[in-house]
Structure formats: structure tokens, C-alpha cells
Amino acid sequence: MAADWLGSLVSINCGPTLGVYQGEVSSVDQSSQTISLRQPFHNGVKCPVPEVTFSAIDIKELKILDIKYGNSRTSSSSSTKVSSAPVAVPKGDPRSVDKLNSPLHCSKSSGDRHLDVPGQPKAFRRRHNSWSSSSRGANQVTPKKNGVKNGQMKHRDDECFGDGIEDGLDTDFDFEGNLALFDKAAVFSEIDISERRNGARSRGTPQEQTPSRYRHDENILEAKPIVYRQITVPQPGAKEYCTDSGLVVPSISYELHKRLLSVAERHGLSLERRLEMTGVCASQMALTLLGGPNRFTPKNLHQRPTVALLCGPHIQGAQGISCGRHLANHEVEVILFLPNFVKMLDSVTSELTLFNKTGGKQVSSIKDLPDTPVDLIINCLDCHENTFLMDQLWYRAAADWANQNRAPVLSLDPPTSGQSQAVEAKWSLSLCLPLALGEGAGRVYLCDIGIPRQVFQEVGIKYHSPFGCKFVIPLHSA
């Protein structure tokens, strides 16, 4: 009985430690329970010894490789000798036939073994497993799609391709039979009944109406009616303005404006804070008017904009100097005109000290202003109280220069319409609440200087912020 196994090609799996051996059976000893292989291969590599003997206790699995029909079996079959030793490729080993220099190559796939037989074309492979013997002939050849490429063979993973996935491919899918199982009319009828129960209009009725459509910025939920007059003042001014969203912003008198700032200063909003907030808002608006991000890029450093800043020795002048400091910090060439006075306000002196640290240019004579048009003129010459400044020579000279220069003018915190303005502006920027400005003020803008709501209430103003997400908003005449 043992002699029947001699000459057979076997594969012996000795577990993960010892690995897999393949070779030709040279002897089988039933008394000592041993088997010997000659010309053995260990994990696909030829062993240096001509023969290896295994004990039964070391063998985990033994397979007989029958090469007569190109099949691999786990049961006994007629042994076949080959002229060259078999090459064993363990599970997951990426070695190819050319690398091992052997005409016989075994790889495990779909729970069985594939075997390339010498003399067989490489574009085909014989395949055998437990279910294919009944549907295919013994000599039937199955073409390999991607089996050989550049002399190498791709190995399939048993864990991924181990199941018989082709069992159900012999029968065609019955599309008509499965489609008949779906009763479309009955399903849509159930949907219509469900919609009627929920109060929805059924489909296909003459009374069908298209539901309301909403934009991406509209709320489909019911909300309270919008109140556009959210700011009320005890003494309305001569004008009313409205924002882009339709909110009404009334104008106030200068007396109420002055009282509002006084109460805010008493609660901690000092003059220095107001100057800083005004300077920031005015500089942001000026940077936008100068071109914004399209102008202020690293590629345009050679074309820095020029701004002429006309200031007087008062609070409005200090606000302008604060604006010029922020503009100079943003790479704008600022030319500050400020007349020489023996004594100036402390706020003007402190702002001027900071401005001189920016590298901006300060002049005290109109002759030192540029003759060519600049990009923007910021007018801070006017004052709410000291109207006698209009009779000063420096004031009239600065106003004439601004009117003769063809640059657009931005007026910062201009006075009310009752006071004449020597410089005609294209834009005007008011603080917290606007005054009733004249026609020469141009387009009116409003900036938020950070006055709390309770401060407005203390002076009798019902206030809700109209600024939204911005600090500077445009106003339109109502």
C-alpha cells in the first residue's frame, strides 16, 4: 500500500513555524510513521539537502499533487513523474515562475490549486474544483484574463476569492419575473392615500397648485413681522435715512448728539477711545474707496495710493489724524496738512505724536501740498462749534486747494446743513447717529463707535443697532 505513493508529488504543510514543503515521495515507513521527499522545496525555495524526512506528528496537512489532468486533490491518485522538481508557492507568496526557474508552478485559489503544465500555452490555465467537474469536461480549457503579464503570474487570495461565487452564474436573472412583483399602480395609490390623510393635495387633481418657492436666504418658518423703525428719538431731526435692508435711521440735532457723547464719556467711553474707533472706521472706508483688495496687493507696492489729509486744530482734526495713522500703517502715502498754532488740544497733540511715528508727511503750508491730483482727499477742516475758522486764511486756502484738485473728497464727521461747507464732498461719514446733512455732503455713511444701548436709553433714544455685521454702512435719504 505504501509503495503506491512512491513517485507522487506531494505538498506537506507543517504549520506556520516549519512552513510548507513540496517534493517527490521517495519512501514511506508505516512502522515509524515517517515520509521522505527527495528534491524538496521549502516555502518555494529549493532545499540544500537532497532529501527530507517528516514525522507524522509534524505534518498538519498533506496534499497529493496529481499532474496527469492538471488538477490538485487531497485524496490518492495515480502518481505521475515529471522531469523537473515541483516548485511550491505558499499562500500569499509573490514569487513568479520565472524567478523560481521551474516549469511547474502551483498556487492556491478558490480553495484548490492551479497548475501550469509544461508545454501548455501560458495564455490558458486548467482549472478544477469540486463544482466544475460536473459542468466542464476534464480537458476543458479556461482562458486566463490577467494570469500572465511580463512573464509573471498574479496570485489570488484565498480569503478574498475562496467562496464559490460562480455558483449562481449558470442561471440567468429573470428581469421580467422580478419586475412583475412590483405593482407600480398600487404603490402610487398608497402614496396618494397617505398624502390625503396628511392634508396634502393629491397628485394629478385639477386643483393642483405649485407650492411656494423660497430663495436660499429666505426663512420658510413663520416669523414675526419686520419692524423697520427700530430707532426712535425724542426730538427727530430734519431728515430721515434708511439702510440697504430698509431700516429707518432718523437724524438727530447736534445738541442731542453732544449730550449722547457726554453721557458715553461719563460711563467710560473716553475721548481717546472715540478717536481710535473713528480712525479705524474712517480708514476702513478710505481703503475700500482706494480700491480695497484689488489695489492693496504685493504686486502693486510700486503704485502706492496717495491721500491728502486736511485737518484743523479741533476734535474733528484729531479724528482725521487718527485715520491718517491707520492709513499710513497700511502702506498708504499720507500727506497731513495741519496749520501751526501756538497751543493745540491735548488730543490733537497726542494723535500727531503717534502719526509722526508712521513715516507720514506733515506740512503746515498749502504750498507744500502736491500740485497733481491725489487718489483721495479726507476733509477734516470743519468744526461743529467754532464757525470763525472759515474766516481764517489757512482754512480758505486749504478749501480752495481741495476744490481745485480733481481728487474725490471724503468728509469726516461733517457739520449740519445749517453750516455752510467750503469743500464739496463726494462721501460723508457720520458717527453713531447722523446729523441732518446738506446736499454738499454727498453720499452719507454711518459708522459705529461702540456706544452701548443703555447710554442711548439714558438720553431718551430707543435704539437697536442697524449695522448688522458691519461697522460702516451706507444711508439713503428716506
Side-chain angles (χ1 to χ4, degrees):
M1 184 67 179
D4 296 338
W5 299 91
L6 299 179
S8 299
L9 298 177
V10 297
S11 174
I12 299 176
N13 186 356
C14 298
T17 304
L18 299 179
V20 180
Y21 289 83
Q22 285 186 340
E24 183 179 350
V25 179
S26 59
S27 65
V28 178
D29 191 348
Q30 296 181 353
S31 60
S32 61
Q33 294 291 307
T34 59
I35 183 172
S36 299
L37 301 181
R38 60 168 165 260
Q39 298 181 357
F41 283 76
H42 178 221
N43 292 335
V45 180
K46 188 174 182 180
C47 297
V49 296
E51 191 175 52
V52 179
T53 302
F54 301 91
S55 178
I57 60 175
D58 297 329
I59 299 175
K60 303 298 182 182
E61 183 182 7
L62 188 146
K63 287 190 176 184
I64 305 299
L65 302 177
D66 186 3
I67 64 171
K68 184 177 182 180
Y69 297 105
N71 299 333
S72 64
R73 301 176 183 173
T74 58
S75 61
S76 175
S77 178
S78 60
S79 61
T80 304
K81 292 185 179 181
V82 294
S83 59
S84 179
V87 178
V89 178
K91 179 180 177 181
D93 196 333
R95 297 180 179 87
S96 63
V97 175
D98 293 340
K99 292 182 179 180
L100 297 177
N101 298 321
S102 174
L104 182 61
H105 178 67
C106 301
S107 64
K108 192 175 181 181
S109 175
S110 301
D112 297 298
R113 298 277 180 173
H114 296 283
L115 190 61
D116 290 338
V117 180
Q120 181 183 5
K122 291 185 177 181
F124 297 89
R125 173 183 295 170
R126 293 184 180 182
R127 183 179 182 183
H128 173 78
N129 52 27
S130 59
W131 51 266
S132 61
S133 60
S134 61
S135 59
R136 298 190 179 102
N139 296 326
Q140 185 176 358
V141 176
T142 302
K144 295 187 302 180
K145 294 183 179 180
N146 295 319
V148 178
K149 183 178 180 181
N150 297 329
Q152 296 183 354
M153 179 175 295
K154 296 183 178 179
H155 302 281
R156 302 174 67 183
D157 191 354
D158 291 342
E159 296 181 359
C160 182
F161 301 98
D163 296 335
I165 59 174
E166 299 183 5
D167 292 341
L169 299 181
D170 294 336
T171 59
D172 295 334
F173 181 76
D174 188 4
F175 288 96
E176 296 181 357
N178 285 274
L179 185 60
L181 299 177
F182 176 66
D183 191 354
K184 184 167 60 175
V187 172
F188 283 123
S189 177
E190 292 179 0
I191 295 176
D192 290 340
I193 295 174
S194 177
E195 289 180 351
R196 292 192 192 100
R197 291 177 180 176
N198 294 333
R201 293 187 177 92
S202 61
R203 296 179 294 105
T205 58
Q207 295 81 12
E208 180 182 2
Q209 298 180 359
T210 304
S212 300
R213 295 183 179 182
Y214 300 91
R215 297 196 309 270
H216 67 280
D217 57 346
E218 290 182 333
N219 191 2
I220 63 174
L221 300 179
E222 294 183 0
K224 296 181 180 179
I226 301 176
V227 179
Y228 291 100
R229 187 176 294 275
Q230 299 181 2
I231 302 175
T232 57
V233 295
Q235 300 174 357
K239 284 188 176 182
E240 281 189 346
Y241 302 91
C242 64
T243 65
D244 290 338
S245 58
L247 298 178
V248 178
V249 181
S251 63
I252 59 176
S253 62
Y254 173 70
E255 289 74 14
L256 183 58
H257 179 79
K258 183 178 179 181
R259 185 153 55 97
L260 177 62
L261 297 180
S262 177
V263 174
E265 186 173 355
R266 190 173 71 246
H267 286 287
L269 188 62
S270 61
L271 176 60
E272 290 76 13
R273 289 188 175 183
R274 295 203 324 259
L275 292 177
E276 189 67 21
M277 283 296 300
T278 304
V280 170
C281 293
S283 61
Q284 286 182 349
M285 181 176 177
L287 291 173
T288 303
L289 296 176
L290 290 172
N294 297 324
R295 181 75 179 272
F296 294 91
T297 61
K299 298 181 180 179
N300 291 335
L301 292 179
H302 61 288
Q303 297 178 348
R304 297 173 56 185
T306 303
V307 173
L309 195 61
L310 308 180
C311 297
H314 38 62
I315 299 297
Q316 282 69 30
Q319 294 174 163
I321 299 174
S322 176
C323 173
R325 168 167 56 88
H326 290 290
L327 290 177
N329 290 336
H330 287 264
E331 304 298 331
V332 177
E333 292 187 4
V334 180
I335 303 175
L336 171 62
F337 168 77
L338 182 65
N340 288 327
F341 282 88
V342 178
K343 185 177 181 181
M344 292 188 181
L345 297 176
D346 294 338
S347 58
V348 177
T349 304
S350 60
E351 289 295 336
L352 189 60
T353 302
L354 290 175
F355 173 80
N356 291 330
K357 301 297 182 181
T358 63
K361 183 179 179 181
Q362 178 187 356
V363 298
S364 58
S365 175
I366 299 299
K367 297 179 181 180
D368 297 329
L369 292 174
D371 297 331
T372 58
V374 295
D375 293 278
L376 180 66
I377 297 175
I378 300 180
N379 177 26
C380 301
L381 297 173
D382 297 302
C383 181
H384 293 290
E385 296 178 351
N386 298 327
T387 57
F388 67 91
L389 292 176
M390 300 182 62
D391 298 332
Q392 301 291 327
L393 294 178
W394 62 266
Y395 179 91
R396 289 180 299 195
D400 292 341
W401 179 88
N403 291 328
Q404 293 175 3
N405 197 290
R406 290 177 293 178
V409 178
L410 167 63
S411 292
L412 181 56
D413 193 14
T416 60
S417 58
Q419 301 180 16
S420 60
Q421 299 182 22
V423 180
E424 185 175 357
K426 187 175 183 179
W427 309 282
S428 293
L429 182 62
S430 297
L431 312 182
C432 61
L433 285 177
L435 303 177
L437 302 180
E439 296 296 333
R443 295 192 58 183
V444 181
Y445 286 78
L446 188 67
C447 73
D448 184 12
I449 60 174
I451 298 179
R453 181 184 299 180
Q454 292 185 1
V455 175
F456 285 96
Q457 294 178 356
E458 191 169 341
V459 296
I461 299 177
K462 182 182 176 182
Y463 180 82
H464 290 275
S465 175
F467 292 95
C469 62
K470 300 180 181 179
F471 282 87
V472 179
I473 58 174
L475 296 181
H476 312 279
S477 298

